[in-house]
């Protein structure tokens, strides 16, 4: 606890940064780990109720009402984004915390050096090393803590964003099952439309 007291108020802010950032990242990791993923190589009939099935079902509904159109891909992108939104909540906050933590550390460094120079001024140039220790300690400590908070947050955020990117691609592949089929039917013409509808009913 000595280093917290010596570091001044900036240290407490950095500790709050660390707790908040790690809490958001941990919750998103757990949320992602607890999300079941359907095997896209098997029949959609065997998919469990989840994001993939919701996307496919809604795309099928749009396709039945409007037929194939360029807007279908935009609809798919919107549906995928809607499924991703809960996982992405708070990530911008973590990015802000990670990017401003070193700046807070620098602020603590500046305030610590100001205190050190005030001691020099009050001493009239006759500096006692012990008197300077407090300001220098605060200056060095806050810089170290700021970097110690920022670096882990940035690394963990990178891994989380990579995992979310893979999940986004998985959902995109589920949507492609409908998009590709609808485009092939549109190109083939009316003679294959009835066949597509029977396949869609199986989906």
């Amino acid at each position: 606890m000595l280093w917290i007291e010596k570091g001044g108020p900036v240290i407490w802010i950095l500790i709050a940064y660390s707790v908040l950032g790690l809490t958001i990242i941990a919750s998103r990791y757990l949320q992602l780990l607890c999300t079941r993923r359907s095997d896209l190589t098997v029949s959609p009939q065997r998919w469990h109720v989840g994001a993939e099935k919701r996307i496919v079902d809604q795309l099928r509904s749009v396709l039945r009402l409007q037929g194939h159109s360029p807007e279908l891909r935009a609809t798919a992108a919107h549906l995928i984004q809607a499924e991703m939104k809960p996982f992405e909540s708070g990530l911008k906050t973590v990015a802000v915390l990670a990017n401003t933590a070193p700046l807070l550390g620098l602020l603590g460094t500046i305030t610590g050096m100001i205190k050190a120079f005030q001691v020099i001024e009050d001493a009239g140039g006759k500096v006692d090393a012990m008197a300077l220790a407090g300001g220098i300690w605060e200056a060095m400590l806050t810089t170290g803590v700021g970097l110690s908070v920022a670096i882990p947050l940035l690394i963990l955020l990178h891994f989380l964003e990579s995992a979310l990117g893979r999940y986004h691609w998985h959902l995109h592949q589920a949507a492609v099952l409908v998009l590709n089929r609808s485009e092939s039917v549109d190109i083939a013409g009316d003679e294959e439309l009835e066949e597509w509808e029977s396949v869609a009913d199986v989906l």
Side-chain angles (χ1 to χ4, degrees):
M1 295 296 293
L2 178 62
W3 61 274
I4 296 178
E5 296 175 0
K6 290 289 187 180
V10 174
I11 293 294
W12 289 104
I13 299 175
L14 289 172
I15 291 174
Y17 267 37
S18 179
V19 172
L20 179 59
L22 292 176
T23 299
I24 294 173
I25 290 176
S27 64
R28 295 297 169 267
Y29 264 121
L30 289 175
Q31 185 179 3
L32 189 59
L33 288 174
C34 294
T35 301
R36 294 178 60 190
R37 303 188 186 187
S38 297
D39 184 359
L40 303 184
T41 62
V42 302
S43 170
Q45 284 182 307
R46 298 169 59 184
W47 292 1
H48 62 83
V49 177
E52 302 92 334
K53 193 169 183 61
R54 287 193 295 269
I55 290 172
V56 168
D57 288 345
Q58 292 180 71
L59 286 177
R60 283 177 53 207
S61 298
V62 174
L63 188 61
R64 285 171 176 171
L65 291 173
Q66 302 178 2
H68 174 75
S69 66
E71 289 76 19
L72 190 62
R73 285 192 174 271
T75 301
H78 175 74
L79 293 173
I80 293 172
Q81 186 58 38
E83 294 290 345
M84 292 296 301
K85 190 174 181 179
F87 298 98
E88 296 173 344
S89 176
L91 296 191
K92 289 185 179 179
T93 300
V94 176
V96 170
L97 295 178
N99 287 317
T100 57
L103 298 178
L104 275 176
L106 179 60
L107 176 62
T109 300
I110 293 173
T111 58
M113 295 306 296
I114 289 173
K115 290 180 180 179
F117 282 113
Q118 284 178 337
V119 169
I120 296 174
E121 182 182 9
D122 294 340
K126 298 179 180 179
V127 182
D128 182 0
M130 292 297 296
L132 289 175
I136 296 175
W137 174 275
E138 179 179 339
M140 297 298 101
L141 185 61
T142 53
T143 301
V145 173
L147 293 174
S148 298
V149 170
I151 293 173
L153 286 181
L154 286 173
I155 293 174
L156 292 174
L157 181 61
H158 169 74
F159 283 113
L160 177 58
E161 289 177 337
S162 297
L164 290 176
R166 290 190 294 271
Y167 184 60
H168 185 280
W169 176 251
H170 178 76
L171 297 182
H172 174 75
Q173 291 300 104
V176 164
L177 295 177
V178 177
L179 295 174
N180 287 349
R181 186 67 182 181
S182 69
E183 290 174 356
S184 65
V185 170
D186 184 65
I187 294 173
D190 294 337
E191 64 273 9
E192 292 195 8
L193 181 58
E194 184 177 346
E195 178 186 351
W196 155 245
E197 288 178 345
S198 64
V199 172
D201 289 336
V202 174
L203 291 175

